Amino acid sequence: RINRTNYSLDTAWLLICGGLIFFMQGGFTLLEVGCVSMKNTKNILTKNLLDTCIGGISFWFLGYGFAFGKSTKFIGASKFALTPFTENNADFADRNYDGNEYAYFFLEFGIASTAATIVSGALAERCQVFAYFIYSVIICTFIYPPIAHWVWSDGWLPPLLKRKKDLFGVGAI
């Protein structure tokens, strides 16, 4: 009974933290809108929405698997599109993830899309929406996930980081 309560609290905590991270998206959006001319407001709003939508799809499809799939020391190699593969063949295994896995995906998706949004302020009024779309896909699929794998999964950095104090893992972000 206590294990179920702890499990439920862990899942709720992941969802709350993921929601708070998504509030950062809105904060970055407001900051960027306040720093650009009025004619570029729609462009900024569109780009930040693209971070969440397009970045989320690319992180779901490949990024989460690269970050938290079964490990090679460099990159994950399973859990693509949140579907685990069996050890013996490439058929889909049990598709019934528990709620904690989805909550963890939600948290990590928020971090990945926020990592892409951080740079969008530097690109405000400097690039077209399609170029930013490509940038967002690259960040959420190929740049953030390997670093997350190295630090928070089975990568090669945790033994090196034991000597340093990394408050909440923000050094990776």
Side-chain angles (χ1 to χ4, degrees), residues 9-23 103 106-107:
L9 288 173
D10 287 346
T11 303
W13 181 249
L14 288 172
L15 292 172
I16 289 168
C17 290
L20 290 173
I21 289 170
F22 274 107
F23 278 124
F106 177 70
L107 173 75

Side-chain angles (χ1 to χ4, degrees), residues 3 10 18 21 25 32 43 67 94 121 123 144 173:
N3 286 337
D10 287 346
I21 289 170
Q25 292 278 59
E32 291 172 33
N43 187 10
D94 181 21
L123 297 176
Y144 172 75
I173 297 172

Side-chain angles (χ1 to χ4, degrees), residues 97-139:
Y97 275 123
D98 57 2
N100 199 15
E101 184 78 24
Y102 289 119
Y104 192 67
F105 167 77
F106 177 70
L107 173 75
E108 290 299 328
F109 154 55
I111 293 172
S113 64
T114 301
T117 302
I118 289 171
V119 180
S120 72
L123 297 176
E125 299 181 323
R126 291 178 179 86
C127 75
Q128 295 179 350
V129 174
F130 184 73
Y132 189 78
F133 163 76
I134 293 170
Y135 154 80
S136 186
V137 168
I138 290 171
I139 287 284

Side-chain angles (χ1 to χ4, degrees), residues 24-149:
M24 288 173 57
Q25 292 278 59
F28 285 131
T29 302
L30 293 174
L31 175 68
E32 291 172 33
V33 165
C35 293
V36 299
S37 60
M38 216 162 108
K39 68 178 183 169
N40 291 318
T41 301
K42 288 182 191 175
N43 187 10
I44 296 298
L45 294 174
T46 303
K47 287 196 300 187
N48 284 327
L49 186 62
L50 273 177
D51 273 336
T52 304
C53 298
I54 303 302
I57 292 169
S58 63
F59 186 73
W60 167 78
F61 192 66
L62 290 174
Y64 188 75
F66 287 156
F68 300 102
K70 187 174 177 184
S71 181
T72 67
K73 288 297 181 186
F74 179 71
I75 199 165
S78 64
K79 294 188 180 182
F80 298 111
L82 279 179
T83 306
F85 288 98
T86 60
E87 298 284 328
N88 301 330
N89 57 21
D91 293 334
F92 292 116
D94 181 21
R95 293 176 183 239
N96 297 324
Y97 275 123
D98 57 2
N100 199 15
E101 184 78 24
Y102 289 119
Y104 192 67
F105 167 77
F106 177 70
L107 173 75
E108 290 299 328
F109 154 55
I111 293 172
S113 64
T114 301
T117 302
I118 289 171
V119 180
S120 72
L123 297 176
E125 299 181 323
R126 291 178 179 86
C127 75
Q128 295 179 350
V129 174
F130 184 73
Y132 189 78
F133 163 76
I134 293 170
Y135 154 80
S136 186
V137 168
I138 290 171
I139 287 284
C140 290
T141 307
F142 301 111
I143 294 176
Y144 172 75
I147 295 169
H149 182 78

